[in-house]
Amino acid sequence: MSRGTQAVVLVFLGGAILRASVTDLYLRYVKQGLRPFLIAAGVVLVVAAVVALVQELRYLNRPEAEPDDDGHGHGRSGPMVGWLLLLPAIALLFVVPPALGADTASRAGSALTDNRDVAYPPLPPGDPADLTLLDYGYRAVYDKGRTLSGRRIKLTGFLATGPDGQPMLVRIVLSCCAADGVPIKIGLRGDVPGVPDNTWMRAIGRWIPHTAKDPVNDADVPYFQVEDWQKITAPVEPYE
């Protein structure tokens, strides 16, 4: 692979990162707050590739330019393994992977593993109160549902089958990127929809004082009494 070809491959890689960053595609891989860093990385790759390509063209246009190989195997070409850089670029440009879903929930333990002994503030105003699954889980398990009792609550997530065969409401929580994603699992009772796994839904209901143990990591799984639910399209930002 010549140096000019290496620069072209780098342009493709940087361009693929930029394309994913300026659209919502990057949300399949990383948290929303990392977008500026991805854009910066893509710009740096493209600029570096363009500079390298210009330098290579200037070298080739020099009348006294030396041949690519000096006769001792020390040419200006890099190893052919550099072509492998095209694979992630092609994947970013043409392959749109699904977000982590029910399969991850079945294999990974719930995120409620650290005891957050803090004073939880009252729920936000409105009926129902709109909570993330993680916020509901912390309040239900570590605050014993004190701030949840007596309020109608709205939760949004996708369905996954629990170890007991009953549906759970799940959302994947990211610390940085999809590679460290862990599920937050909420058991469901009451008017539970009979729809396939990975179906996104918005559920309205109430906290109930019941928990179970996740067989994967022995974390607490709180429960939610569903009173009403609505099937929705998957959100642009699928992770919490």
Side-chain angles (χ1 to χ4, degrees):
M1 176 185 282
S2 68
R3 292 189 179 182
T5 305
Q6 293 173 27
V8 172
V9 171
L10 205 58
V11 167
F12 270 99
L13 185 59
I17 294 174
L18 283 175
R19 175 184 175 272
S21 303
V22 299
T23 64
D24 294 324
L25 179 60
Y26 79 102
L27 292 172
R28 301 289 181 95
Y29 303 97
V30 298
K31 298 187 71 171
Q32 187 177 31
L34 294 178
R35 174 182 246 173
F37 302 99
L38 286 177
I39 293 176
V43 169
V44 168
L45 287 175
V46 171
V47 170
V50 170
V51 170
L53 188 59
V54 169
Q55 290 179 341
E56 182 67 9
L57 290 175
R58 286 179 176 174
Y59 173 82
L60 293 177
N61 290 330
R62 288 170 51 196
E64 67 276 14
E66 299 177 356
D68 190 60
D69 195 328
D70 63 1
H72 300 285
H74 303 297
R76 290 173 55 81
S77 297
M80 296 299 293
V81 72
W83 285 105
L84 293 178
L85 286 174
L86 277 178
L87 296 180
I90 292 172
L92 282 173
L93 287 172
F94 301 109
V95 180
V96 180
L100 300 178
D103 183 61
T104 300
S106 66
R107 293 183 288 102
S110 181
L112 296 178
T113 56
D114 55 330
N115 189 348
R116 298 202 172 188
D117 187 15
V118 299
Y120 291 87
L123 295 187
D127 182 37
D130 193 357
L131 298 182
T132 66
L133 265 63
L134 192 62
D135 190 14
Y136 177 85
Y138 279 131
R139 291 172 183 267
V141 173
Y142 302 126
D143 195 42
K144 308 302 181 184
R146 282 188 287 266
T147 57
L148 303 174
S149 181
R151 291 289 303 273
R152 291 206 316 155
I153 299 162
K154 179 169 64 176
L155 301 176
T156 301
F158 61 86
L159 288 180
T161 302
D164 58 356
Q166 298 300 312
M168 303 182 300
L169 196 61
V170 181
R171 201 81 182 255
I172 304 299
V173 180
L174 302 187
S175 296
C176 173
C177 60
D180 60 31
V182 292
I184 172 68
K185 307 175 185 180
I186 307 296
L188 300 178
R189 292 289 185 265
D191 183 19
V192 180
V195 293
D197 284 357
N198 292 313
T199 300
W200 280 85
M201 60 172 284
R202 183 174 293 119
I204 296 175
R206 299 178 184 274
W207 166 77
I208 53 176
H210 176 70
T211 60
K213 290 293 184 180
D214 190 327
V216 179
N217 64 346
D218 204 39
D220 288 308
V221 176
Y223 275 70
F224 183 72
Q225 183 78 19
V226 179
E227 298 176 350
D228 189 22
W229 63 273
Q230 178 185 10
K231 182 179 176 181
I232 62 173
T233 58
V236 173
E237 187 173 3
Y239 306 120
E240 284 192 6

